[in-house]
């Protein structure tokens, strides 16, 4: 009994110190870098293509034969677009800034052919749908990866302008690891398609001639393929601010106006007569031109003959774009939590009450049960000691409240620094999940009697519990918060969503109210003598009860191992499982006596060190989620994106969104019961509702932003929305009646 309590002080304290240090360092280094950045308008993904691996230590001629590409893939929401290298009248091209190891260089963007996008009296050159902007990486002999290095680190800061009728400048930071010794060809088809969309260089006697005093250009391009001769071609000059981008193609024989242009074939030579823009900002000596037919492009680099008229200096940004940017300055801001705003006193009081009740209900969440076992053991131990009982209750309350305050302050600080985080963010880290798995495994082994700390710890540390019972209760409260915080109880969701937009003092008061509500039952029990008299007297039965309590700990470790598997894949979960077995062997061996302890412990520690070195990196290395990505197009639950929601609503179909996470026990319970109930599924089908699932198991800025927009900061969250109506947020503890009632309300309003 005492050994289990002694366990809590050194082990839990070490866990929280390590977890806090890891989170601080990770956020300082990564600054929200990932492979995917999502906004309401686009999804931008950093991809790599290295079918023969990274060419390391090869001669230059050998390196040239091994393709190594990276690229930014942008998927646009319907009616939105980004821009080509020459954006046209009112855009800006996408810019990529690479951070690469010494000896690795990035080439230029291999721009796919664009399309002309008319906007009123203007025209832009850009991309809709999905486009990949490939960039070659050049690995020189100066690239010297370390002996233990297994990947090429690629970092990218990208900026793009996405427009519909309004324009929103956006940016994202991306990080990607390309394995050095294995093939990376998952996105080969996307790169092949993008590279095939490159314009093909055309050799020939090309010419651009100024005429009409520099007001028009006469263009001649020779050498185009015979199969396109006689066909009309689309023209895209690479040099911006020279021609009238929105010029109208005039029919043959019709006189040309100031904004008209004409094209025709002179045998095998394509010719055009194009108006020069009155706002011309360039006087090029050569004009690279891209001609497109049927999605295929050809590039002709033509010299310019004649003298350009003198031009007046103009702004770098066109007047049309400048007006659009000013009109959308608010939308241009990065997606951040709501600003700190004052709320009425009555609203704040209700938020505090909701937080208090939510904290109380947290004690009923399955994820908290294992820690309650520790408190039950503590209560039975002090059943006859009223003073110790009260002291334990106060210390436990302090540990819970201060831990909620610390987590709340950390979340608010990181969000203020630009991190897209929500409540439960710590379990989005594989390192924290692995550390908690180890912690609960060790607690379970201790309760089961596999080892006793007093057998191998210094006597001063082994008797720490006897001298510091307050510290044990305090740290037990910290552990309770560590596993309880990912659960969002009823009444808590709205309070947490409000907290992230309040001034710091008011926000922290809400977090404190949640902690006080969670600790209140134990505080009351510790000060209420009637409760103590109901507890059984200490005796031999407690040893059996103690060993029985090991199984909830092992069950929690299994759940955390499953969560880790969602983040790092089967390799990560298997690696941690092997390390846990080795850890159990080490703890058992250290409890032996005599020569066997020295021999077995030495061997087991050596095995553990070897496995930690070889398998350890797999435990914290995240992998691309595949479960939802591999769903069939007609699967019931499709992966969520803001663009998909708008597409479905635009088609006149309602949407039901399940915001969930593997580490959220409430989410999993609702998923297996209410959301899988035949009556619910039949009602969703009858109402023709498209069901989407937003998986927040890992950090996802787009999901965090959407939760913030809905006034929530944690999961579960369930949203039903019909076209033209505001979203309806359902209860966190979801019942069949809740869903059926919401669907009935939906049908009445349609």
């Amino acid at each position: 009994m005492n050994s289990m309590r002694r366990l809590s002080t050194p082990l839990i304290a070490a866990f929280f110190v390590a977890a806090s240090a890891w989170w601080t360092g990770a956020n300082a280094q990564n600054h929200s870098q990932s492979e995917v950045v999502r906004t309401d308008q686009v999804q931008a993904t950093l991809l790599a293509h290295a079918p023969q691996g990274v060419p390391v230590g090869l001669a230059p001629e050998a390196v040239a034969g091994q393709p190594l590409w990276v690229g930014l893939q942008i998927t646009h929401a319907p009616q939105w677009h980004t821009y080509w290298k020459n954006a046209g009248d009112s855009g800006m091209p996408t810019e990529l800034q690479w951070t690469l190891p010494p000896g690795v260089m990035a080439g230029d963007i291999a721009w796919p052919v664009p399309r002309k996008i008319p906007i009123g009296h203007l025209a832009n050159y850009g991309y809709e749908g999905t486009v990949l902007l490939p960039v070659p990486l050049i690995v020189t002999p100066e690239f010297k990866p370390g002996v233990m290095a297994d990947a090429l680190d690629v970092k990218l800061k990208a900026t793009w302008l996405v427009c519909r009728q309004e324009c929103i400048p956006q940016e994202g930071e991306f990080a990607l690891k390309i394995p050095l010794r294995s093939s990376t060809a998952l996105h080969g088809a996307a790169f092949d398609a993008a590279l095939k969309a490159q314009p093909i260089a055309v050799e020939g006697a090309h010419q651009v001639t100024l005429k009409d005093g520099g007001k028009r250009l006469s263009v001649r391009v020779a050498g185009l393929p015979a199969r396109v001769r006689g066909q009309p071609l689309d023209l895209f000059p690479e040099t911006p601010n020279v021609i009238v981008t929105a010029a109208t193609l005039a029919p043959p024989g019709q006189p040309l106006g100031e904004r008209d242009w004409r094209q025709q074939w002179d045998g095998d030579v394509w010719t055009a007569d194009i108006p020069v823009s009155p706002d011309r900002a360039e006087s090029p000596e050569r004009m690279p031109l891209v001609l497109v037919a049927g999605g295929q492009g050809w590039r002709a680099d033509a010299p310019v003959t004649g003298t350009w008229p003198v031009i007046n200096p103009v702004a770098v940004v066109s007047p049309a774009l400048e007006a659009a940017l000013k009109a959308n300055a608010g939308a241009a801001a990065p997606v951040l939590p709501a600003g700190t705003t004052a709320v009425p006193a009555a609203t704040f009081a209700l938020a505090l009450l909701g937080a208090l009740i939510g904290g109380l209900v947290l004690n009923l969440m399955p994820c908290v049960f294992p820690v309650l076992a520790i408190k039950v053991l503590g209560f039975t131990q002090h059943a006859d000691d009223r003073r110790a009982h009260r002291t334990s209750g106060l210390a436990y309350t302090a540990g819970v409240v201060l831990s909620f305050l610390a987590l709340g302050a950390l979340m608010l600080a990181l969000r203020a620094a630009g991190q897209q985080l929500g409540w439960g963010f710590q379990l989005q880290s594989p390192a924290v999940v692995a550390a908690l798995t180890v912690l609960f495994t060790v607690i379970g082994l201790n309760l089961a009697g596999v080892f006793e700390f007093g057998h191998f710890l210094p006597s001063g540390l082994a008797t720490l519990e006897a001298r510091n019972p307050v510290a044990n209760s305090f740290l037990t409260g910290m552990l309770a918060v560590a596993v309880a915080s990912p659960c969002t109880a009823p009444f808590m969701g709205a309070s947490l969503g409000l907290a992230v937009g309040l001034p710091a003092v008011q926000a922290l008061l809400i977090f404190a109210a949640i902690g006080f509500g969670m600790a209140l039952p134990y505080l009351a029990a510790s000060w209420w003598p009637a409760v103590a008299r109901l507890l059984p007297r200490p005796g031999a039965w407690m040893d059996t009860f103690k060993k029985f309590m090991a199984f909830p700990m092992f069950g929690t470790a299994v759940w955390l191992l499953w969560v880790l598997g969602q983040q790092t894949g089967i390799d990560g979960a298997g690696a941690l499982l092997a390390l846990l077995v080795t850890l159990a062997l080490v703890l058992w061996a250290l409890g032996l006596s005599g020569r066997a302890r020295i021999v077995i412990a030495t061997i087991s520690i050596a095995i553990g060190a070897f496995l930690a070195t070889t398998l350890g990196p797999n435990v914290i290395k995240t992998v691309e989620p595949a479960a939802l990505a591999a769903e069939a197009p007609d699967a019931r639950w499709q992966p969520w994106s803001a663009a998909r929601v708008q597409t479905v609503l635009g088609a006149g179909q309602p949407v039901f969104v399940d915001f969930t996470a593997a580490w959220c026990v409430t989410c999993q319970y609702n998923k297996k019961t209410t959301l899988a109930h035949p009556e619910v599924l039949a009602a969703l089908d009858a109402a023709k509702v498209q069901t989407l699932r937003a998986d927040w198991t890992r950090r996802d800025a787009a999901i965090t932003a959407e939760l913030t927009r809905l006034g929530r900061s944690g999961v579960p969250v369930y949203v039903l929305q019909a076209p033209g109506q505001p979203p309806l947020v359902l209860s966190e503890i979801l019942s069949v009646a809740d869903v059926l009632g919401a669907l009935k309300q939906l049908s009445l309003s349609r």
Side-chain angles (χ1 to χ4, degrees):
M1 176 69 66
N2 289 340
S3 63
M4 187 284 299
R5 300 279 293 170
R6 286 193 291 270
L7 164 67
S8 63
T9 300
L11 193 57
I12 299 175
F15 163 74
F16 276 100
V17 170
S20 299
W22 184 92
W23 257 101
T24 301
N27 282 283
Q29 293 172 10
N30 292 336
H31 191 62
S32 296
Q33 291 179 342
S34 64
E35 297 177 20
V36 182
V37 170
R38 296 181 179 89
T39 70
D40 291 339
Q41 295 76 31
V42 305
Q43 173 178 299
T45 309
L46 180 58
L47 305 179
H49 181 55
Q52 300 176 37
V54 177
V56 180
L58 301 180
E61 58 273 13
V63 171
Q66 294 197 16
L68 176 57
W69 291 87
V70 289
L72 186 66
Q73 185 180 68
I74 301 177
T75 300
H76 305 81
Q79 301 179 11
W80 291 86
H81 59 269
T82 54
Y83 294 94
W84 187 50
K85 61 195 305 183
N86 172 13
D89 285 326
S90 60
M92 286 182 175
T94 299
E95 295 184 357
L96 308 180
Q97 299 177 5
W98 301 93
T99 301
L100 302 167
V104 181
M105 299 180 296
D108 296 328
I109 299 175
W111 295 93
V113 294
R115 63 179 297 266
K116 182 179 287 188
I117 305 171
I119 300 181
H121 297 294
L122 306 176
N124 296 328
Y125 301 144
Y127 307 100
E128 297 176 326
T130 298
V131 65
L132 174 62
L133 305 179
V135 173
L137 292 187
I138 298 95
V139 180
T140 70
E142 285 72 31
F143 176 55
K144 305 291 185 183
V147 177
M148 300 299 294
D150 62 351
L152 169 63
D153 291 321
V154 177
K155 294 183 179 180
L156 167 66
K157 181 176 182 180
T159 57
W160 60 88
L161 184 71
V162 58
C163 297
R164 188 170 51 183
Q165 292 180 343
E166 64 273 25
C167 292
I168 303 175
Q170 297 176 345
E171 65 178 24
E173 295 188 17
F174 306 81
L176 185 67
K177 291 182 179 291
I178 305 177
L180 293 177
R181 302 174 184 87
S182 61
S183 170
T184 302
L186 179 63
H187 306 290
F191 278 91
D192 288 345
L195 295 175
K196 288 179 181 177
Q198 307 303 307
I200 301 171
V202 176
E203 301 296 335
H206 316 310
Q207 188 69 50
V208 173
T209 305
L210 287 159
K211 66 177 188 177
D212 293 347
K215 294 182 179 180
R216 302 192 70 86
L217 298 177
S218 175
V219 179
R220 294 180 62 85
V221 177
L224 291 169
R227 60 186 175 85
V228 300
R229 292 174 188 171
Q231 297 183 24
L233 304 180
D234 291 322
L235 170 68
F236 300 96
E238 292 187 2
T239 309
N241 304 318
V242 174
I243 72 169
V244 176
T245 307
T248 303
L249 182 63
Q254 177 177 311
L256 294 177
E258 292 182 354
R259 295 178 57 84
D260 293 337
W261 76 293
R262 174 173 292 135
Q263 62 170 302
Q264 60 186 27
W265 287 88
D266 184 5
D268 60 355
V269 177
W270 182 84
T271 67
D273 188 333
I274 304 170
V276 173
S277 172
D279 299 320
R280 176 177 58 87
E282 302 287 342
S283 300
E285 296 182 356
R286 302 189 68 88
M287 286 190 64
L289 306 171
V290 174
L291 303 175
V292 178
Q296 178 62 62
W298 296 269
R299 184 178 185 272
D301 190 358
V304 179
T305 60
T307 302
W308 291 101
V310 177
I311 58 176
N312 296 320
V314 296
V316 175
V317 179
S318 69
L321 177 57
E322 184 176 6
L325 293 178
K326 288 181 178 179
N328 293 278
V335 180
L336 292 173
T340 56
T341 56
V343 296
T347 302
F348 181 64
L350 288 174
L352 284 176
L353 179 61
L356 180 69
I357 298 174
L360 281 167
V361 180
L362 267 180
N363 291 286
L364 303 178
M365 297 294 105
C367 50
V368 188
F369 289 168
V371 181
L372 302 191
I374 297 177
K375 283 306 299 172
V376 170
L377 285 173
F379 275 13
T380 56
Q381 183 181 14
H382 298 299
D384 292 328
D385 190 340
R386 184 172 177 183
R387 183 175 181 276
H389 211 41
R390 290 181 172 182
T391 303
S392 174
L394 288 173
Y396 176 78
T397 301
V400 171
V401 172
L402 291 178
S403 296
F404 265 101
L405 285 173
L407 275 176
L410 178 60
M411 187 183 78
L412 293 174
L414 291 175
R415 290 187 70 137
Q419 299 288 322
Q420 288 296 318
L421 300 176
W423 192 244
F425 66 91
Q426 65 274 21
L427 287 193
Q428 293 175 330
S429 158
V432 175
V433 174
L436 277 172
T437 307
V438 171
L439 177 63
F440 277 97
T441 300
V442 172
I443 292 176
L445 292 173
N446 177 258
L447 291 172
V450 173
F451 74 98
E452 298 289 343
F453 269 91
H455 289 174
F456 57 89
L457 288 180
S459 58
L461 187 59
T463 59
L464 193 59
E465 185 273 339
R467 293 183 285 113
N468 296 281
V470 174
N472 281 281
S473 295
F474 179 85
L475 291 172
T476 302
M478 293 177 64
L479 179 60
V481 173
V483 296
S485 57
C487 297
T488 303
F491 309 106
M492 242 176 76
S495 297
L496 282 174
L498 178 65
V500 298
L502 289 174
V505 174
Q506 290 183 314
L508 292 178
L509 282 176
I510 287 183
F511 288 115
I514 295 171
F516 184 73
M518 181 177 176
L520 188 57
Y522 306 99
L523 181 64
S526 66
W527 281 76
W528 192 10
V531 175
R533 286 194 296 267
L534 293 175
L535 296 173
R537 299 290 180 182
W541 67 271
M542 293 178 63
D543 183 65
T544 302
F545 183 68
K546 168 194 165 186
K547 292 178 178 178
F548 174 77
M549 286 295 103
F551 293 96
M553 305 301 159
F554 293 140
T556 303
V558 170
W559 164 59
L560 290 167
L561 192 67
W562 176 75
V563 172
L564 185 74
Q566 305 295 310
Q567 299 170 330
T568 64
I570 189 64
D571 289 344
L576 181 59
L577 196 58
L579 292 173
L580 291 176
V581 173
T582 308
L583 176 62
L585 175 61
V586 170
L587 293 175
W588 172 76
L590 290 174
L592 299 176
S593 59
R595 188 175 180 181
R597 172 180 178 175
I598 298 175
V599 174
I600 298 178
T602 301
I603 294 174
S604 59
I605 291 173
I607 294 174
F610 173 75
L611 292 178
T613 302
T614 56
L615 300 180
N618 291 323
V619 175
I620 59 174
K621 183 172 70 174
T622 59
V623 296
E624 187 70 20
L628 282 178
E631 291 280 8
D634 58 347
R636 176 179 294 278
W637 291 98
Q638 293 291 317
W640 172 91
S641 71
R644 177 169 290 189
V645 170
Q646 295 305 315
T647 300
V648 175
L649 292 175
Q653 188 176 3
V655 175
F656 181 89
V657 184
D658 170 20
F659 291 89
T660 183
W663 39 260
C664 171
V665 178
T666 308
C667 304
Q668 302 307 317
Y669 176 81
N670 291 339
K671 183 187 300 184
K672 300 298 183 184
T673 55
T674 301
L675 295 182
H677 196 281
E679 193 174 355
V680 169
L681 298 178
L684 289 170
D685 291 341
K688 293 182 169 54
V689 176
Q690 173 65 62
T691 50
L692 305 178
R693 183 157 282 152
D695 191 346
W696 207 41
T697 300
R698 310 176 210 203
R699 291 178 57 185
D700 189 307
I703 295 178
T704 305
E706 184 67 12
L707 290 172
T708 302
R709 189 181 71 83
L710 293 168
R712 296 291 187 267
S713 64
V715 291
V717 172
Y718 304 100
V719 178
L720 180 64
Q721 185 173 7
Q725 298 182 19
L728 175 63
V729 180
L730 280 63
S731 170
E732 289 94 339
I733 303 297
L734 195 65
S735 68
V736 173
D738 290 336
V739 180
L740 296 181
L743 291 173
K744 183 178 180 180
Q745 181 179 341
L746 174 70
S747 63
L748 291 176
S749 61
R750 294 173 68 181

